[in-house]
Amino acid sequence: MTDNNETNGAPSDEEGRAPKRVIGTPPPPPTHDLLPDDTGGAEGTGGYQLDEKKARAAERAAGAFFVLTFVAGIAFIVFYAVWPGHVGNINRATSSNYALGISLTLAFLGLAVGMTIWVRHLMTSKEIIQERHELSSPPEDRQVFNEYFQQGVQESGITQRRFLRRTLLLASAPLGLLPLVLLRDLGPLPEKKLRHTAWKNGTRLVVDGTGQPLKASDFNSPGGIITVVPEGAQNNLDDIAKAAVLLINLPPDQMKVKKGRENWHVGGIVAYSKICTHVGCPAALYEQTTHHILCPCHQSTFDALDSAKVIFGPAARPLPQLPIGVNSEGYLVATSDFHEPIGPSFWERGKSKV
Amino acid sequence: MSTATPPKAIDGTIGFADERFGTAGFLRGKMKKVFPDHWSFMLGEIALYSFIILLATGTFLTLWFKPSMGEVIYHGSYTKLDGVNMSEAYDSTLRISFDVRGGLLMRQIHHWAAVLFLASIMVHMLRVFFTGSYRKPREVNWLIGLGLFTLGILEGLFGYSLPDDLLSGTGLRITQGVMQSIPVVGTYIFYFAFGGGFPGHDFISRLYTVHVLLIPGILLALVGAHFMILWHQGHTQFSGKNRTEKNVIGKPFFPVFMIKAGAFFMFTFAVTALLGTFAQINPIWLFGPYTPDSITAGSQPDFYMGFLEGALRIMPNWETNLWGHTIPWNVLVPALLPLGLIMTGAALWPFIEQWATGDKKIHNLADRPRNAPFRTAVGMTAVTFYGMLWLAGGNDILADKFHVSLYATTWFFRGAVFVGPVIAYVVTKRLCVGLQRSDAAELHHGVEAGVITMLPSGEFVEMHQPVKEDAEAVLRGKQELPAIEDAGEDANGIPAPSSRGPLGKARKALNNAFTADDISIGNGHGNGHGNGHGEHPEAGTGDHKELSRG
C-alpha cells in the first residue's frame, strides 16, 4: 500500500531518461520534497494541497461505496427478516447463504474500498520522519534499580534468614502439585482395558448397522467383505472402536494359514480387526483381486491372504485376527477374544499375556 | 501548536478521561506514531483481523452449538440423515447449518477465517524470518509469534474436531492413536483426556472448553503482548532514502494508518465473507456422524495439519519391542520430529545468529533476503522440508490426479524430504550470491540505459547510467555481515582460547557460513570471496567509467 499521491508532481528529467527499473523493494515514492524535515517532524501540521477537482471526484467515489455498504446492509436485514425461504432444507439453506453472504460481502467491501479511496486520495497528511526512541533506559536508571533491589533484599532479610527462605520454598512445593492431583479424576486408569474387546467365545458376529447375525452360507460370495461387530455391542461406540472386524471371504486354496490358526477361519471366511495398527483409523478399503486391505488414512497395506501382514506403509504390525467358528445353529461366532491387543501400539502392549 | 479545539464531544470526552487518567498526555505521543509502509507489513495484520473475525463468528456459533456426545436421533431439515443416531454436537451443527438463519454463513466464515488466520501467520513469519526482522530487539516478539502459531494450529485442530462428524472424528482418532503411543504415560494420557476409552462421552465437551475459552484466552493475551511490543519497539522498515536505523519514515497513525488499517480489516472481512458465501468448506452433512468403524477415502485435514499427516504417511514402519514394551517410532517420530525441528529451530535461530555473528546491535532496518544468503538458504531449507511433508500429506490425491502408483508417491517423498531441502539450500544460496553480484555491479557500473553507442574502433556498446538515488539507497542499505574477529592465532600460531574446543570451532564454522557469501558493495574494492564466478564482472573494480563492457 504505497502512496500514490497526486501532488507528487511530474517525473523529473532524470526519470524521463533512465529506464524504469524496480530494484528489489520498490523505493518509497519520491516524497522527499514533502518531508517537513525542518518543520519539526512529528509535530508538523501542514498537509498536501489537494487538486480540488480530483478530490471531489474521489469524494464522490468513496461516498458511492459507502452508499453501497448502506444498501447492502439494508438488503441483509431485509433478506433476513422478510424473505421466507431461509431454512428447512438444503436448497433453501444454499440460497439463503448466497443472499446473506453476498449482501454481507458487499457491505464490508463497500466500506473497505471507500475507506481506501479516502486514505489515498483525500487525506492530506504528509510522510514524516520520526526519530526512534532509545529502547534501553539511561544507565543511571539501571544503577538506581540495582541499588534499590539490593537495598530491598537487604531490608526484607530473605538472604540472611535461611530458615525463612527454606521453609518458604518447602511450603510452595506441594502447592504446585495440587492442580495436577486435582486432574486425577479425569478418567479411569487404563489397566488392562486396552487388551480386551467385547468379543468372547460364542459371541455372534452381527452386521454393522443392521445387527443381523450371519450364517456362513449368507456370506458365500467369493471376495466378499463386510464389517461385523459383536452381538449386543452394536450401539456402543466404545466397544465398536475396539471390536470392529472385517469379515472377508477368501479363496481357501490361496490362503497362507499361519501355524496355530488352522481353525480360526470358516471355509476361507476370515475375521481381522478393522482398527489399523498404525494410529487406529478403520482399515476399510479392500482390493478383491489382490486381497489387500488398505487403510485410507496413511495407506498402510495388509495382505489378507497372509494373516494380514503389513506389505506397505507406516503400520508395524499385522491386523490382529479374530478366531471364528460356527455355533450349533449355524451362525458365525467368535471362538475367543483377540489374542493380542488391537489398534495402535502402546507402551504396555507386550507386557502380559492375560 | 494551533489553538484549534476539537468538537465538544471529543473535547469533553478527552477532558473527562484526562482529568482521571491523564489520557491526553498519553495519546499526544501516540497519535502521530509512524508506521512504515510496505505490502509485506500487512501480513500480520491479516492474522490479527482474522482473529477478530474468529472471535465474533465463534461467539455466534456457541449460541447454538451443544458440545455433547449424548446420543440423539436426528429429525431436522436435512432429510437424508433423518432418523439417524448421532451425537448432540453433530445434531446441533446440522441445525446451525440448516435451521438457523445465517448459521451456515457464520460457520463457513468461521472456518475460512481460521484457515486465513494460520495461512497469514505462516506468510508473516516467513517475511519476518527472511528479512531478519526477528533480530534484536525483536527476539521476544518472534518467540511470542511462534507460540501464537503453535497454539493456532492446535486451536484449529480442536475447532474442526468439535462437530463430531465422520471426518473430524477420524482426526480425533488419529490424535488419540498418537497420544496412546507416547512411551510410558501414553495410555494414561489417553484415558485421562477421553475420560475412559475412545471415543467415550467426555471428550467433545472438554475440547469445547479448551477451544472456546482456554486457548482463545491465551491467544488473546499473546496477541495483545505481540501488538504492544510491536507498538513500543516500532516496526522495522526497509532501507531507502533517508531511512536509517534510528528513524522511521511514513504516514502518521492518526488519521492515515488508522483508517488504512480499518479499510484493511474490512477487506479481510469481505474476503472471508466472500469465501463463506461461495466456497463450501467442511460440509459436515455429507460426511455423516462419526462412528469408529467408518471412514471415507481421501480424508484430508485442514491445510495446516497437512505436514503432520504427510510425516505420518511416509515414515517407515519402525517399532521397537523390548522387555514387553513397545516404542512405536512409526508414530512418535512423525508426530513430534518435524514440528519439534521446525519450531525449536525457529525459536533458537535469533540467538544462534547472534552467537555466531557476535552481532549485538539493535536492528531496525530489515534485510533484503539476498543480503543474508545463509539465513535465506536455511530458511528455504526449512520451507522445502515443510513443503515436502505437506505434499506427502496429500499423496493419495496426487497419486489419483496424476495417475501414478500410490506407493511410488510415498517412496518419492521419503527421498524428497531429505533431498529437496539440500537442493533448496544450494540453489537459494547461489541465487542470493548472484543477486548480490548483480546489485554490486549495478552500483558500480550503473544500469543499462538502452542507448547504443559506436566507439571509434567501430565497436558497439551500450551506455550505462548511474543508479537512481532511491534505488541506490536501497542497494547501499546492505549491511556488511560481521565476521567474528579471528581471535584466531597469536604470533606463535597458537589459537586463542575462545576459538578452541568444539564450541569455539562450531561458532567459527557457523560464522563462516553466515559471512562466506557476502559480496561487498564496498567503495571500490570488491573482495570477491571467490566462488568460482569469475566470469561475472567483479564488484567494484574501481573505475567509474560509464561503459562496463568497453
Side-chain angles (χ1 to χ4, degrees):
Chain A
M1 283 179 118
T2 48
D3 308 81
N4 269 342
N5 222 296
E6 313 293 334
T7 53
N8 285 346
S12 66
D13 283 352
E14 191 187 296
E15 257 182 311
R17 276 192 292 119
K20 193 167 168 54
R21 286 185 54 118
V22 179
I23 296 171
T25 309
T31 48
H32 46 275
D33 50 335
L34 302 166
L35 295 174
D37 289 356
D38 39 8
T39 57
E43 306 292 338
T45 49
Y48 289 126
Q49 281 300 308
L50 294 175
D51 175 344
E52 197 41 47
K53 223 173 116 190
K54 282 183 180 166
R56 260 203 304 274
E59 185 185 357
R60 273 197 299 274
F65 279 104
F66 290 156
V67 171
L68 171 70
T69 296
F70 173 77
V71 174
I74 298 284
F76 185 92
I77 296 169
V78 170
F79 275 134
Y80 188 95
V82 180
W83 193 41
H86 280 287
V87 295
N89 63 48
I90 191 160
N91 292 328
R92 286 177 164 199
T94 309
S95 30
S96 163
N97 198 53
Y98 284 136
L100 296 175
I102 290 171
S103 48
L104 191 68
T105 304
L106 287 178
F108 289 123
L109 201 65
L111 270 186
V113 176
M115 284 163 91
T116 306
I117 295 174
W118 176 19
V119 171
R120 289 174 72 123
H121 297 291
L122 291 167
M123 287 208 177
T124 57
S125 313
K126 287 177 177 176
E127 252 189 349
I128 48 184
I129 300 185
Q130 219 164 48
E131 294 304 312
R132 287 182 193 265
H133 61 109
E134 193 74 37
L135 284 170
S136 53
S137 343
E140 62 264 29
D141 283 2
R142 289 265 281 271
Q143 206 182 331
V144 171
F145 167 82
N146 289 344
E147 278 164 24
Y148 284 0
F149 182 81
Q150 289 299 347
Q151 200 186 339
V153 168
Q154 279 298 317
E155 287 170 4
S156 75
I158 188 85
T159 42
Q160 303 95 309
R161 308 203 176 275
R162 226 166 43 183
F163 185 69
L164 179 87
R165 201 170 65 228
R166 290 183 176 175
T167 48
L168 184 65
L169 282 175
L170 186 73
S172 55
L175 283 181
L177 286 173
L178 290 194
L180 279 178
V181 171
L182 274 172
L183 292 179
R184 166 60 189 86
D185 276 351
L186 273 176
L189 294 181
E191 293 165 341
K192 306 228 178 291
K193 296 186 193 93
L194 288 173
R195 319 190 68 83
H196 302 293
T197 71
W199 294 109
K200 285 195 298 278
N201 182 14
T203 311
R204 287 202 293 187
L205 280 59
V206 298
V207 177
D208 184 31
T210 66
Q212 284 295 314
L214 274 176
K215 288 185 172 170
S217 54
D218 300 336
F219 191 62
N220 53 6
S221 58
I225 178 170
I226 196 166
T227 301
V228 293
V229 295
E231 184 169 32
Q234 299 100 302
N235 295 319
N236 186 331
L237 292 186
D238 288 22
D239 279 347
I240 293 178
K242 289 194 291 185
V245 155
L246 277 180
L247 203 61
I248 308 175
N249 194 343
L250 294 170
D253 51 321
Q254 291 177 37
M255 279 172 69
K256 291 182 209 160
V257 180
K258 225 173 168 180
K259 214 169 171 242
R261 296 189 179 182
E262 290 84 359
N263 55 355
W264 284 21
H265 67 98
V266 177
I269 300 176
V270 289
Y272 295 118
S273 165
K274 196 181 181 182
I275 309 304
C276 182
T277 54
H278 179 221
V279 284
C281 290
L285 302 182
Y286 178 64
E287 203 176 27
Q288 277 189 1
T289 48
T290 56
H291 305 292
H292 289 172
I293 304 166
L294 180 90
C295 173
C297 279
H298 308 99
Q299 294 125 24
S300 296
T301 312
F302 307 89
D303 186 357
L305 290 173
D306 193 1
S307 309
K309 74 164 191 200
V310 181
I311 49 176
F312 194 82
R317 289 174 294 107
L319 296 171
Q321 187 176 351
L322 183 74
I324 54 170
V326 179
N327 70 4
S328 53
E329 292 154 22
Y331 289 109
L332 290 172
V333 293
T335 56
S336 78
D337 196 357
F338 288 101
H339 286 215
E340 56 185 311
I342 60 94
S345 298
F346 53 96
W347 178 249
E348 305 90 341
R349 194 184 66 85
K351 217 164 172 201
S352 91
K353 296 287 170 222
V354 183
Chain B
M1 292 286 101
S2 71
T3 52
T5 314
K8 210 167 163 214
I10 300 294
D11 193 40
T13 315
I14 286 295
F16 179 91
D18 193 44
E19 281 156 28
R20 286 157 184 83
F21 314 114
T23 313
F26 174 76
L27 290 181
R28 180 180 178 273
K30 314 278 183 269
M31 292 172 76
K32 291 256 175 187
K33 186 173 178 64
V34 163
F35 280 87
D37 229 356
H38 190 268
W39 65 265
S40 67
F41 298 166
M42 311 184 311
L43 298 165
E45 277 184 68
I46 301 180
L48 175 67
Y49 303 142
S50 320
F51 183 61
I52 297 171
I53 295 168
L54 283 167
L55 291 179
T57 51
T59 306
F60 177 91
L61 295 174
T62 60
L63 302 177
W64 287 274
F65 181 68
K66 296 197 181 75
S68 154
M69 296 172 94
E71 281 206 26
V72 291
I73 296 171
Y74 181 72
H75 290 299
S77 298
Y78 189 65
T79 45
K80 282 181 187 164
L81 289 175
D82 193 55
V84 172
N85 257 340
M86 56 180 67
S87 66
E88 275 192 86
Y90 187 60
D91 177 81
S92 59
T93 312
L94 286 174
R95 283 177 196 282
I96 290 173
S97 306
F98 295 120
D99 298 298
V100 175
R101 277 180 279 184
L104 180 60
L105 185 65
M106 290 300 138
R107 251 197 69 224
Q108 302 212 104
I109 293 180
H110 191 70
H111 203 136
W112 273 117
V115 169
L116 191 63
F117 178 64
L118 282 156
S120 55
I121 287 182
M122 283 182 194
V123 188
H124 172 62
M125 276 171 58
L126 292 179
R127 195 276 296 171
V128 170
F129 182 84
F130 284 120
T131 60
S133 301
Y134 55 79
R135 288 175 295 174
K136 190 179 171 186
R138 297 181 178 80
E139 307 96 317
V140 176
N141 234 12
W142 170 251
L143 294 180
I144 292 178
L146 292 176
L148 281 168
F149 179 52
T150 316
L151 280 175
I153 292 179
L154 212 59
E155 179 73 345
L157 167 70
F158 288 179
Y160 75 70
S161 296
L162 280 175
D164 206 22
D165 58 285
L166 186 52
L167 184 63
S168 77
T170 304
L172 278 186
R173 177 52 144 167
I174 296 172
T175 312
Q176 180 269 324
V178 171
M179 258 184 212
Q180 178 178 327
S181 67
I182 299 170
V184 187
V185 292
T187 50
Y188 292 86
I189 292 180
F190 156 37
Y191 259 64
F192 286 169
F194 284 80
F198 179 86
H201 293 278
D202 296 327
F203 198 65
I204 297 280
S205 51
R206 287 176 182 174
L207 205 58
Y208 181 69
T209 308
V210 175
H211 178 76
V212 305
L213 181 74
L214 194 60
I215 299 185
I218 302 173
L219 282 177
L220 196 62
L222 288 181
V223 167
H226 199 69
F227 191 74
M228 273 153 67
I229 292 173
L230 156 74
W231 184 287
H232 182 68
Q233 296 182 330
H235 203 286
T236 51
Q237 62 184 351
F238 283 105
S239 49
K241 200 165 172 302
N242 292 331
R243 299 182 184 188
T244 68
E245 293 280 9
K246 301 232 179 250
N247 73 10
V248 54
I249 298 184
K251 297 281 179 75
F253 177 77
F254 179 82
V256 178
F257 189 78
M258 211 171 90
I259 300 301
K260 212 154 77 172
F264 198 38
F265 181 19
M266 291 298 113
F267 269 120
T268 312
F269 218 143
V271 167
T272 51
L274 189 75
L275 287 166
T277 309
F278 292 104
Q280 187 180 69
I281 189 163
N282 201 19
I284 49 126
W285 54 92
L286 298 181
F287 308 142
Y290 178 65
T291 57
D293 60 347
S294 310
I295 191 156
T296 55
S299 308
Q300 286 291 324
D302 268 9
F303 89 96
Y304 44 84
M305 296 300 296
F307 75 110
L308 287 173
E309 175 80 4
L312 277 170
R313 289 182 182 196
I314 62 174
M315 181 70 193
N317 62 343
W318 299 338
E319 181 174 284
T320 308
N321 285 290
L322 266 185
W323 301 297
H325 292 298
T326 304
I327 305 169
W329 304 111
N330 54 344
V331 179
L332 290 173
V333 170
L336 302 176
L337 193 76
L339 191 64
L341 215 59
I342 292 172
M343 296 311 262
T344 315
L348 292 179
W349 181 265
F351 307 100
I352 293 174
E353 181 175 321
Q354 241 170 53
W355 176 67
T357 57
D359 179 5
K360 300 263 193 286
K361 289 198 297 286
I362 295 268
H363 291 277
N364 288 319
L365 285 177
D367 270 338
R368 298 168 77 205
R370 68 186 63 176
N371 290 336
F374 180 60
R375 175 202 300 148
T376 306
V378 170
M380 284 313 293
T381 308
V383 167
T384 313
F385 176 65
Y386 179 95
M388 287 301 136
L389 289 176
W390 186 77
L391 282 174
N395 70 335
D396 50 344
I397 312 279
L398 292 175
D400 182 43
K401 298 284 175 215
F402 293 99
H403 305 288
V404 287
S405 144
L406 180 66
Y407 302 152
T409 62
T410 305
W411 275 108
F412 172 79
F413 284 114
R414 279 175 181 172
V417 79
F418 295 107
V419 178
V422 175
I423 296 175
Y425 180 87
V426 174
V427 170
T428 309
K429 209 147 176 200
R430 301 299 356 136
L431 281 176
C432 287
V433 173
L435 287 167
Q436 277 195 42
R437 285 180 197 277
S438 108
D439 281 356
E442 217 150 66
L443 259 186
H444 292 284
H445 307 302
V447 293
E448 290 110 343
V451 180
I452 309 290
T453 311
M454 193 170 85
L455 297 182
S457 58
E459 192 181 354
F460 287 97
V461 292
E462 187 177 5
M463 297 281 289
H464 277 224
Q465 253 185 358
V467 184
K468 274 193 298 170
E469 203 183 4
D470 287 330
E472 185 181 347
V474 172
L475 295 178
R476 293 249 176 243
K478 175 178 183 326
Q479 291 158 19
E480 300 284 315
L481 299 177
I484 42 172
E485 271 120 66
D486 215 346
E489 292 163 13
D490 64 10
N492 302 320
I494 311 291
S498 63
S499 60
R500 269 178 287 176
L503 213 57
K505 281 187 186 128
R507 182 171 179 221
K508 187 69 198 149
L510 258 179
N511 184 262
N512 283 342
F514 269 103
T515 53
D517 289 311
D518 193 19
I519 310 301
S520 177
I521 51 158
N523 298 316
H525 297 288
N527 63 350
H529 282 275
N531 282 295
H533 277 234
E535 79 281 4
H536 197 97
E538 197 56 83
T541 32
D543 41 352
H544 281 274
K545 56 185 176 186
E546 296 226 320
L547 312 171
S548 68
R549 285 161 215 154

